[in-house]
């Protein structure tokens, strides 16, 4: 099977989703749609077991730039593709059940499956530009999913924040990738490793690396860009479980891993990537420990794990790389499970506040089992996968060439806090007597089974780590050029310092859990420095931008037609006069042909009409006089042999007069609308514009830098375009593209005028498209610049 | 209706409007060789439509003019895209046979003519729409 099916299949499912949801209802539709990602996961797993060679596929896209639609599914890609498709299938089942009472469930499936396709594309793409396209698609679909409850102001705000942060990072990434392409002349990612020496030596390397990291750090929520991730918890929980723990936020880590063969062999890489990762690792857990909302606890602990992954990739050695691969998989399992548990609890009790939840084991025993198993894996208790990954993590830190003890100590602190968080989220709500929040609806099997499956895998696979190592983890490390034999995945490493650290972590974590109320001071401390936090800086930056935009709009778009015209004419005249100052040619009258009788009369007529328009006492008279000027121009066109122009001018002039006469009778008397001073100013502006126009026409008669093309066009029009009317041939054949643009503008203008004049009717439709918000008593913000009448 | 001033324009319109419509098509079709073309023809057709509604406000065009302008754009785009199917570049003129029409004479058929018809439709629709909307606007304010 060709690799492109990995991306195409979810897209097809996305298209089919609304029909399936309508036919079967969200719950069953989720199960049916889950078949697609499960099929992908099964296929990948089969290839992984048989150790199939990397599958590649490519199709020319922009051959002139050397950009192909290139996909590659090797050992590394298989690991992450499996993670995304497998958890994606579970999320489909879970989401269907979670949203079964929600009328918009079809929208969820459409976007989630689109997101899945984009995410699988980020992993499988073997072309830098293609990777970027998929990367942006994940940002966009994430925006739609975070803002799923679009009627909720907070959700819209969170969605916009996630989009602005990740899309800004996306731009930075694009610039970085383009620099990388410029250095190597290569857009294939698998070919970049061969250029690593060239990349490191290039003067463009530092900007390229910084720009790429800008994209990676924003996407993977590294400090100081971490704040969008907890905000994104406004999304429905199935979305958080999928995008914001297992998949999208790992896109940065994945890209970092993909580029690490090409870029990690430099000092700068380690000096930037590892410290940022370490700082994020610590920040995440410290911010998490005092939270009381289940999803925020999980979100901040996800930030911490993302930091750990980035830090490991920053170390750049084979051991750390393999550990990162393993940790990414393990984290996907336990964090996905815990998010789903949190969602089910929220759904059943209506609250996510840990302080008002307890004794849930009695009403939801299976969920309790899943929660406990996932919490054990998160804490790193043997024999879970989490234990193995934590051992490897400590070993990686202890084998650093320097500062190993302090790094390991920081690691113990972060992991101990993670243990406490795991206990708060996964164990605490299920123990004790009945809590203050009772279970109102009992969750269906679709909301219990997926977390149970994920948590069980985290336990069961811990018993056979060698299998996981052989099938998924080692091939992933090997494919990126790292030696997989350095790290062994086993449950028992013997009595080593690492084991001691694990035990200390667990004990410390339990102690923190028991005294968790003491950490409330952290929340107060963060509140105290609130204006300095990245999220506050983001917010004030955004507010400032909006204020500046509003100010600028008020200043430029003031709505006074007279001033608009004045500014337009003055600016145009000024530019023309400046241009004339420098242009070649002269103003001599020598080459001018003296005007004949007919032309003189027409010009005279025109002048009389213009003056009459000025002194006219009524509007109608003024309009008619202006029409007279227009008709005179048409006569001039006739005199100089341009019948097409003359006809057009006559028609347009006629229609303008008609149009004016519709409007004008409603307007106030001429005498009332302007003072003498204003008129003098208008007169000056008109004189300047007229002078500029006259000068430019005068001068252009003398300027001929190239041969005239008229003769050529006249010759061609009969022989090649079968037409004798050159004007028309130019319009519909030689310069037809221009005409196309013009009629497009014309049609748009028609649309605009219609919309403006029929504003009242249209606005009332825009304001309440579903007709439900008025009933819900919620006010929707309408663009403040569109004033309702 | 007994006032002659009220009945003169309607009477004239019965004659003038169809004449203008025919004239507009004539201008469109002869445009490739003689003064005329889609733009001019469209303006004449729009004037005819407006005149008709001016005389009797109830007689508005039955087709939605905005939709019509979109259709005109599609016609123009189709004529531009046709050469793509024969392996030529966008907007290459494709020419077919000649037909004979009364008053116009020999007319060579081809994608540029189709394009001009697209222009004709867009100009007719937009110009008529603008005038009719303004006319309706001034009428509602009267009432």
């Amino acid at each position: 099977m060709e690799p492109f099916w990995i991306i195409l299949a979810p897209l097809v499912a996305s298209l089919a989703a609304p029909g399936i949801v309508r036919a079967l209802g969200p719950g069953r539709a989720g199960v049916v749609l889950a078949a697609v990602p499960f099929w992908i996961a099964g296929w990948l797993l089969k290839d992984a077991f048989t150790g199939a060679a990397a599958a590649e596929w490519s199709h020319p896209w922009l051959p002139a730039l050397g950009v192909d639609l290139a996909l590659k599914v090797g050992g590394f890609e298989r690991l992450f593709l499996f993670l995304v498709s497998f958890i994606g299938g579970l999320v489909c089942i879970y989401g269907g059940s979670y949203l079964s009472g929600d009328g918009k469930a079809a929208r969820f499936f459409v976007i989630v499956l689109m997101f899945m396709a984009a995410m699988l594309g980020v992993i499988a793409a073997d072309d830098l530009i293609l990777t970027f396209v998929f990367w942006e698609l994940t940002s966009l679909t994430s925006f739609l999913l975070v803002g799923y409850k679009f009627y909720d102001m907070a959700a819209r705000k969170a969605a916009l924040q996630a989009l602005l942060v990740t899309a800004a990072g996306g731009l930075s990434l694009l610039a970085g990738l383009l620099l990388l392409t410029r250095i190597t002349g290569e857009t294939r990612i698998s070919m970049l490793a061969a250029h690593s020496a060239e990349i490191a030596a290039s003067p463009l390397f530092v900007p390229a690396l910084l720009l790429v990291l800008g994209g990676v750090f924003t996407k993977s929520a590294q400090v100081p860009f971490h704040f969008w991730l907890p905000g994104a918890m406004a999304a429905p929980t199935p979305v958080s479980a999928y995008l914001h723990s297992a998949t999208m936020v790992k896109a940065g880590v994945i890209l970092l891993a993909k580029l690490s063969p090409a870029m990690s062999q430099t000092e700068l890489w380690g000096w930037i990537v590892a410290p940022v990762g370490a700082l994020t690792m610590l920040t995440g857990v410290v911010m998490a420990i005092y939270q009381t909302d289940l999803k925020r606890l999980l979100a901040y602990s996800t930030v911490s794990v993302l930091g750990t992954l980035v830090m490991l990739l920053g170390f750049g050695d084979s051991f750390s790389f393999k550990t990162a691969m393993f940790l990414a998989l393990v984290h996907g399992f336990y964090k996905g499970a815990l998010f789903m548990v949190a969602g089910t609890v929220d759904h059943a009790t209506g609250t996510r506040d840990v302080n008002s939840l307890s004794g849930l084991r009695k009403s939801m025993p299976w969920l309790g089992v899943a929660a406990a198993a996932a919490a054990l894996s998160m804490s790193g208790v043997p024999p879970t996968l989490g234990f193995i990954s934590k051992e490897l993590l400590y070993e990686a830190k202890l084998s650093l060439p320097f500062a190993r003890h302090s790094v390991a100590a920081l690691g113990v602190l972060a992991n101990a806090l993670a243990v406490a968080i795991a206990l708060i989220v996964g164990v605490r709500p299920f123990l004790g007597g009945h809590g203050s929040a009772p279970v109102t609806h009992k969750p269906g099997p679709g909301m219990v089974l997926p977390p149970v499956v994920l948590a069980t895998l985290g336990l069961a696979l811990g018993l056979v780590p060698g299998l996981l190592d052989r099938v998924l983890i080692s091939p992933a490390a090997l494919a990126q050029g790292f030696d997989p034999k350095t790290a062994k995945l086993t449950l028992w490493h013997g009595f080593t310092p690492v084991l001691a650290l694990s035990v200390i972590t667990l004990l410390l974590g339990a102690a923190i859990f028991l005294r968790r109320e003491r950490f409330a001071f952290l929340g107060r401390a963060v509140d105290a420095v609130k204006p300095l936090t990245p999220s506050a800086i983001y917010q004030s930056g955004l507010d400032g931008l909006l204020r500046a935009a509003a100010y600028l709009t008020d200043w430029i778009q003031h709505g006074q037609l007279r001033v608009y015209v004045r500014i337009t004419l003055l600016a145009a005249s000024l530019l023309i006069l400046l241009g004339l100052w420098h242009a070649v040619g002269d103003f001599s009258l020598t080459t001018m042909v003296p005007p004949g009788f007919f032309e003189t009369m027409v010009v005279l007529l025109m002048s009389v009409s213009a003056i009459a328009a000025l002194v006219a006492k009524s509007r109608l008279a003024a309009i008619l006089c202006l029409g007279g000027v227009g008709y005179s121009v048409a006569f001039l066109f006739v005199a100089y042999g341009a019948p097409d122009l003359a006809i057009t001018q006559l028609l347009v002039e006629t229609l303008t007069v008609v149009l004016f006469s519709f409007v004008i009778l409603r307007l106030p008397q001429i005498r009332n609308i302007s003072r003498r001073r204003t008129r003098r100013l208008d007169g000056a502006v008109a004189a300047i514009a007229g002078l500029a126009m006259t000068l430019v026409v005068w001068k252009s008669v003398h300027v001929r830098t190239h041969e005239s093309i008229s003769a050529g066009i006249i010759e061609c029009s009969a022989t090649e375009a079968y037409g004798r009317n050159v004007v028309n041939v130019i319009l519909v054949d030689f310069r037809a593209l221009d005409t196309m643009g013009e009629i497009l503008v014309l049609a748009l203008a028609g649309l605009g005028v219609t919309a403006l004049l029929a504003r009242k009717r249209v606005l009332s439709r825009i304001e309440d498209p579903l007709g439900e918000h008025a009933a819900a008593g919620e006010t929707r913000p309408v663009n403040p610049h569109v004033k309702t009448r | 209706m007994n006032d002659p001033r009220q009945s003169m324009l309607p009477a004239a319109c019965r004659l003038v409007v169809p004449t203008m419509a025919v004239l507009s098509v004539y201008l469109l079709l002869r445009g490739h060789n003689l003064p005329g073309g889609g733009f001019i023809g469209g303006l004449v057709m729009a004037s005819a439509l407006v005149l008709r509604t001016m005389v009797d406000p109830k007689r508005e065009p039955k087709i939605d003019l905005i939709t019509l302008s979109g259709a005109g754009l599609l016609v123009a785009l189709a004529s531009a895209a046709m050469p793509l199917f024969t392996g030529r570049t966008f907007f290459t003129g494709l020419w077919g046979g000649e037909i004979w029409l009364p008053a116009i004479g020999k007319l060579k058929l081809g994608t540029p003519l189709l394009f001009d018809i697209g222009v004709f439709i867009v100009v007719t629709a937009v110009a008529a729409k603008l005038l009719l909307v303004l006319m309706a606007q001034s009428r509602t304010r009267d009432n």
Side-chain angles (χ1 to χ4, degrees), chain A residues 643-644 647-648 651-652 655 658-659 662-663 666 720-725 728-729 731-733 736-737 739-740 743-744 746-747 749-751 753-754 757 789, chain B residues 31-37 39-40 43-44 47 54 66 69 73 76-77 90-91 95 108 112 115-116 119 122-123 126 129-131 133-135 137-138 142:
Chain A
D644 277 283
I647 299 173
T648 313
L651 286 167
V652 169
L655 289 177
V658 172
L659 200 140
F662 285 142
V663 186
R666 333 273 145 219
E720 290 181 22
Y722 309 106
R724 288 192 306 279
N725 179 1
N728 187 258
V729 168
L731 282 177
V732 300
D733 200 339
L737 189 62
T739 312
M740 186 77 213
I743 55 174
L744 185 65
L746 190 66
L751 205 60
V753 169
T754 314
L757 291 179
R789 279 188 295 170
Chain B
H32 217 52
N33 290 320
L34 293 163
F39 198 85
I40 291 172
L43 288 176
V44 172
S47 315
M54 210 191 280
I66 293 294
S69 73
L73 283 180
L77 194 67
F90 197 54
F91 264 123
W95 293 96
K108 201 161 172 61
F115 183 78
D116 218 8
V119 173
V122 175
V123 172
V126 173
K129 182 73 190 178
L130 290 187
L131 289 166
V133 164
L134 280 170
M135 219 160 77
Q137 193 82 2
S138 58
D142 284 343

Side-chain angles (χ1 to χ4, degrees), chain A residues 84-95:
Chain A
V84 170
S85 52
F86 180 68
I87 296 185
L90 292 175
V91 164
C92 279
I93 298 176
Y94 182 83

Side-chain angles (χ1 to χ4, degrees), chain A residues 319-374:
Chain A
F319 191 100
S320 304
F321 188 87
K322 190 174 169 184
T323 307
M325 296 299 101
F326 186 51
L327 180 59
L329 183 74
V330 174
H331 174 252
F333 282 178
Y334 75 68
K335 194 55 68 65
L338 284 176
F339 260 112
M340 289 180 189
V341 167
T344 308
V345 167
D346 183 16
H347 202 269
T349 64
T351 180
R352 296 198 303 252
D353 186 352
V354 282
N355 292 329
S356 45
L357 291 166
S358 68
L360 294 177
R361 70 179 184 286
K362 287 171 194 139
S363 44
M364 297 185 282
W366 281 105
L367 196 70
V369 170

Side-chain angles (χ1 to χ4, degrees), chain A residues 521-603:
Chain A
F521 79 90
L522 280 173
R524 287 195 297 276
V526 171
D527 273 346
V529 293
K530 200 155 200 168
L532 298 174
T533 55
S535 73
I537 292 170
Y538 160 87
Q539 194 56 49
S540 54
L542 191 64
D543 291 346
L545 198 65
L546 290 178
R547 263 201 307 277
Y551 175 76
L552 203 64
T553 310
D554 282 350
W555 188 52
I556 301 174
Q557 301 293 336
H558 40 65
Q560 288 187 43
L561 190 59
R562 185 188 292 270
V563 183
Y564 281 141
V565 173
R566 207 181 273 162
I567 289 174
T568 309
L569 285 180
L570 276 181
S573 311
L574 202 70
L575 287 174
I576 288 174
L577 291 173
L578 267 178
L580 284 179
W581 192 264
H582 297 289
V584 288
D586 55 43
F587 288 103
S588 68
L589 282 167
T590 49
T591 52
M592 283 213 167
V593 183
F597 175 73
F598 182 68
E599 289 93 325
T600 318
M601 288 324 281
V602 172
V603 171

Side-chain angles (χ1 to χ4, degrees), chain A residues 23 40 44 67-68 81 120 140 161 168 221-222 227 282 295 306 331 348 357 406 461 480 489 534 576 634 676 681 775:
Chain A
I40 296 172
L44 291 161
V67 175
D68 295 331
L81 289 173
L120 293 170
L140 283 178
Q161 174 174 291
Q222 301 295 302
F227 58 89
L282 218 57
K295 281 181 81 176
L306 292 170
H331 174 252
L357 291 166
S406 36
L461 288 176
Q480 294 306 97
L489 273 60
I576 288 174
R676 188 172 285 275
L681 191 61

